[in-house]
Amino acid sequence: MLEKITGTFSGIIRTLSGKSTITEKNIEDTVEQIKMALLEADVNLRVVRRFVNSTIEEAKGEKVLKAVDPGQQFVKIIYDKIVSMLGDQKKDLSLKGPDTTSVILLLGLQGAGKTTAAHKLAAKLKKEGRRPLLAACDLVRPAAVEQLSVLGEKIGVPVYKENSKDAVKNAEEALKYAKKNQFDTLIVDTAGRLQIDEEMMNELVKIKKSLNPDEIILVADAMTGQNAVEIAQSFDEQLGISGVILTKFDSDARGGAALSLRSITGKPIIYIGTGEKTEDFEQFHPERIASRILGMGDVVSLVEKAQATVDEEEALRLQKRMQKNEFTLDDMLAQFQQVKKMGSMQSLMDMIPGMANQQIDTSGMKRQEAIILSMTKKERANHLIIGPSRRKRIAAGSGTSVAEVNKLIKQFEKTKLTMKKLTRNRGMQAQLMSQLGMGGPGGMDMSKLGDLAKLMKR
């Protein structure tokens, strides 16, 4: 996710952070580097010019040149400017209360991922306590209705569909059905085309008039860069979109669409698609994405992902076992499985300050899992009984080597010792929570990112 632009910005930030003095020449050189990085990322030229002019103007003021820590102050200005480009703050859907049916109209070009986005959005709203209904109104793409039906069944959300070939009539009937059966949210999946055409727009205008939707959301492919901005402008001119869902955001190495959309169209990015799974669908937080772009990670999202994934009872049980020094290889295996539920290791590492773009060998964890699974219950419960002959048997059973078995056991012993220290050291726990900025109204404190990185390396 955003690998290319993050790699460039990370280098710039590292150079700035170490400077005890900042000159006007430093500012001009740095802004020129940023300008080239943004242009290479396919950011709209008007957006780049605004960024360059406003950054130079603010950075050359007394705020930076006479600051106690000018390097960090300059970094803060760059961060604030990127947040502004991305939209300043997150945008929530404007939906009515549970006693009324809210309508969300999804539109976009064919191939942008509307149908997938529709089911992900439905799953998210259902998890938040709403009662959604999906409406299959894409009657152009072959098997679109069938695809939505399969996805709806997968998440336990009903799909309204008609045999009629009239998309406008289907949408009207879906709304009647939603109101009659007390669904509080109707999500309408509409037809797309390979390019914007008059027929598609006429159909969408009719659907809009018949439904009077609360939200008209464009679904756009993040990887199309500035093209996504032009598409958003076209749809907005004729239909008045209220926001954007950027799909395939996890595959976008440049970030041109995200960095241009709000500045050019004035429309917020509401959600981003971050993978193929249903749960790979996140609310768009400008400040968190800005932090990722600058290589500072996104610990707040990491904590939220952990909270949503980790079983609370299991976590408490594990904590008690660690406090009693009863942590076993079975517990280590359970941890591996919990981490896997949170997503790919690469995506998790990208959220940790200073770890963005570092390539992770995920095969290592799979091999460690295989080693533990090749042990007997007694061996997992007490690693001290695993002598040379047992290690040889475990290596053969897991398709690994004795050296790898030895390495895992050493790692387990080190992990056990570290966890024991952490559970007994309330000061370290409190410091970690403080660095995460938990409970504060503004989320993470940007000034603490460096301290957090140091803490996590201890």
Side-chain angles (χ1 to χ4, degrees):
M1 185 188 293
L2 307 174
E3 296 89 355
K4 189 171 182 180
I5 191 169
T6 297
T8 305
F9 269 96
S10 295
I12 294 170
I13 297 307
R14 277 195 300 271
T15 302
L16 283 176
S17 299
K19 288 189 177 295
S20 57
T21 59
I22 294 285
T23 65
E24 291 192 6
K25 181 71 165 55
N26 292 146
I27 292 169
E28 289 169 1
D29 290 346
T30 301
V31 172
E32 183 63 25
Q33 290 179 54
I34 293 172
K35 173 185 171 183
M36 296 309 298
L38 294 174
L39 291 174
E40 287 175 6
D42 200 25
V43 177
N44 183 277
L45 183 57
R46 277 165 47 200
V47 177
V48 175
R49 282 174 178 165
R50 286 179 202 162
F51 177 90
V52 167
N53 293 336
S54 61
T55 302
I56 288 178
E57 183 181 352
E58 188 168 342
K60 284 187 175 180
E62 292 187 6
K63 185 184 257 188
V64 169
L65 297 177
K66 295 187 178 180
V68 174
D69 193 340
Q72 290 293 335
Q73 191 63 49
F74 192 14
V75 170
K76 181 66 166 60
I77 289 173
I78 294 169
Y79 168 80
D80 288 341
K81 296 297 179 186
I82 293 177
V83 171
S84 180
M85 286 167 69
L86 292 168
D88 287 320
Q89 56 188 0
K90 72 180 178 72
K91 165 73 165 61
D92 295 314
L93 293 175
S94 299
L95 303 179
K96 304 184 186 85
D99 298 330
T100 316
T101 302
S102 299
V103 179
I104 302 171
L105 180 62
L106 299 184
L107 41 85
L109 296 187
Q110 189 172 308
K114 285 190 306 301
T115 303
T116 302
H119 108 273
K120 287 183 175 182
L121 177 58
K124 185 172 182 61
L125 293 177
K126 180 183 178 183
K127 192 174 181 180
E128 291 172 358
R130 296 191 72 89
R131 190 163 180 256
L133 172 70
L134 288 160
C137 296
D138 181 354
L139 309 179
V140 175
R141 181 169 63 87
V145 174
E146 183 182 346
Q147 181 192 3
L148 189 64
S149 299
V150 171
L151 291 173
E153 185 177 354
K154 178 182 173 183
I155 60 174
V157 172
V159 177
Y160 185 88
K161 51 191 175 183
E162 289 266 357
N163 291 324
S164 167
K165 295 297 180 182
D166 185 342
V168 180
K169 182 184 177 184
N170 281 14
E172 291 172 347
E173 293 301 317
L175 182 55
K176 290 178 184 176
Y177 181 86
K179 289 179 176 179
K180 182 180 178 181
N181 292 276
Q182 298 180 321
F183 288 98
D184 59 25
T185 313
L186 176 66
I187 302 171
V188 183
D189 180 28
T190 62
R193 303 288 197 283
L194 294 176
Q195 60 185 19
I196 297 170
D197 58 37
E198 188 177 350
E199 182 185 356
M200 174 178 68
M201 282 300 181
N202 287 339
E203 181 178 274
L204 290 172
V205 168
K206 290 177 183 176
I207 292 175
K208 177 186 175 182
K209 286 181 179 178
S210 63
L211 297 182
N212 189 25
D214 300 271
E215 293 278 1
I216 302 176
I217 300 177
L218 172 73
V219 180
D221 184 341
M223 296 178 69
T224 58
Q226 287 193 55
N227 193 37
V229 181
E230 294 167 7
I231 292 166
Q233 284 181 299
S234 298
F235 275 101
D236 188 45
E237 286 169 6
Q238 300 192 55
L239 292 155
I241 64 173
S242 56
V244 178
I245 292 174
L246 274 183
T247 61
K248 307 174 191 174
F249 198 74
D250 57 311
S251 301
D252 181 19
R254 300 185 299 173
L259 287 162
S260 304
L261 263 165
R262 182 59 184 263
S263 297
I264 298 299
T265 67
K267 305 300 176 182
I269 301 169
I270 305 176
Y271 295 107
I272 50 176
T274 57
E276 297 179 0
K277 296 178 183 177
T278 300
E279 60 270 22
D280 294 334
F281 191 72
E282 302 174 10
Q283 188 159 22
F284 186 78
H285 293 264
E287 73 284 359
R288 300 186 192 181
I289 298 301
S291 182
R292 289 195 197 187
I293 288 173
L294 296 180
M296 296 174 173
D298 182 3
V299 180
V300 178
S301 291
L302 181 61
V303 171
E304 287 180 352
K305 191 178 281 285
Q307 289 173 336
T309 307
V310 176
D311 184 288
E312 192 173 342
E313 288 184 11
E314 174 65 18
L316 288 171
R317 183 193 70 80
L318 189 59
Q319 185 180 14
K320 289 177 181 178
R321 289 181 62 78
M322 287 189 293
Q323 287 172 337
K324 295 178 181 178
N325 199 27
E326 294 176 354
F327 186 70
T328 67
L329 283 159
D330 260 329
D331 296 320
M332 191 176 192
L333 179 64
Q335 281 195 321
F336 286 161
Q337 292 166 345
Q338 288 284 4
V339 169
K340 282 165 65 177
K341 288 180 184 178
M342 290 174 63
S344 71
M345 281 301 298
Q346 190 61 58
S347 67
L348 298 180
M349 294 304 289
D350 286 346
M351 293 182 187
I352 299 174
M355 300 299 287
N357 292 337
Q358 293 196 22
Q359 295 302 308
I360 306 301
D361 181 11
T362 55
S363 63
M365 184 181 288
K366 292 177 183 177
R367 294 172 75 82
Q368 289 177 329
E369 268 192 275
I371 290 171
I372 298 175
L373 289 169
S374 295
M375 297 176 183
T376 65
K377 287 185 177 180
K378 286 185 178 180
E379 288 167 345
R380 290 186 217 168
N382 181 12
H383 72 286
L384 297 176
I385 68 172
I386 307 177
S389 61
R390 289 176 183 261
R391 295 184 188 210
K392 189 175 180 180
R393 190 206 78 242
I394 292 166
S398 59
T400 60
S401 65
V402 173
E404 286 178 285
V405 175
N406 292 339
K407 184 179 178 181
L408 171 70
I409 292 173
K410 282 184 179 179
Q411 181 184 329
F412 166 73
E413 289 174 338
K414 187 176 180 181
T415 301
K416 186 175 181 178
L417 182 62
T418 302
M419 288 184 167
K420 184 180 178 182
K421 286 181 180 178
L422 182 61
T423 54
R424 292 183 176 180
N425 191 333
R426 296 196 176 275
M428 188 181 289
Q429 293 176 37
Q431 187 182 358
L432 180 59
M433 294 305 289
S434 172
Q435 302 299 342
L436 293 178
M438 302 301 288
M444 174 175 275
D445 182 348
M446 287 297 298
S447 67
K448 294 178 180 178
L449 282 166
D451 295 334
L452 174 61
K454 291 175 188 174
L455 179 67
M456 296 183 77
K457 289 177 182 176
R458 286 181 186 174

